[in-house]
Amino acid sequence: MNSARFVTAAHSFPRTLIALLSLVVLAVMSIVGCLIWSGYEAAIYNTETKTRDYAAILEARLEATLRRAEADLGELAREIPAPVWYFQRSSLAVVQAAKSLPSPER
C-alpha cells in the first residue's frame, strides 16, 4: 500500500506545480498589463498637457501680434490725410495725399 500512496503523491506533484506556476504567470501578466495601461494613460495625459500648453503659447503670441497690427493700423488711420478716405474725390487729390505720406522705415 505504501507504493500506491507514493505513486499517487508523485503523480499529483506535477499537477500542483503546473497549477502554481500557472497562477504565478497569470499574476505576472496581470501586473504587466496594469503597468502598460498606466503608462499609456500617463503618455496620453502628458500629450494633452503639452498640446494645451502649445495652444496657449500660440494664442498669446497671435493675440500680441494682432494687437500690434491693430495699433499700427490705428496709427496709420490717424496719419493718413482725410482726402484719401473719400473715394469720390479726384484721383489727383489721392495721388497728392499719397505723396504727402511719410516713407516707410526699413
Side-chain angles (χ1 to χ4, degrees), residues 19-30:
L20 184 63
L21 288 176
S22 298
L23 287 175
V24 168
V25 167
L26 184 63
V28 168
M29 286 177 55
S30 65

Side-chain angles (χ1 to χ4, degrees), residues 48-98:
E48 288 175 350
T49 303
K50 285 182 183 180
T51 302
R52 284 190 199 102
D53 291 345
Y54 290 152
I57 290 169
L58 288 174
E59 180 184 7
R61 288 183 179 176
L62 181 63
E63 184 179 351
T65 302
L66 292 176
R67 237 182 299 128
R68 281 194 307 267
E70 184 180 10
D72 290 343
L73 288 174
E75 184 179 338
L76 284 175
R78 285 188 299 275
E79 289 178 2
I80 294 176
V84 175
W85 294 111
Y86 301 113
F87 295 111
Q88 295 176 353
R89 299 264 181 171
S90 69
S91 61
L92 180 61
V94 174
V95 171
Q96 289 174 351

Side-chain angles (χ1 to χ4, degrees), residues 4-64:
R5 287 185 185 170
F6 179 74
V7 170
T8 310
H11 184 63
S12 67
F13 180 72
R15 286 185 180 175
T16 307
L17 183 63
I18 290 173
L20 184 63
L21 288 176
S22 298
L23 287 175
V24 168
V25 167
L26 184 63
V28 168
M29 286 177 55
S30 65
I31 290 172
V32 168
C34 287
L35 289 174
I36 289 173
W37 184 255
S38 66
Y40 172 77
E41 286 181 340
I44 293 292
Y45 176 77
N46 289 338
T47 304
E48 288 175 350
T49 303
K50 285 182 183 180
T51 302
R52 284 190 199 102
D53 291 345
Y54 290 152
I57 290 169
L58 288 174
E59 180 184 7
R61 288 183 179 176
L62 181 63
E63 184 179 351

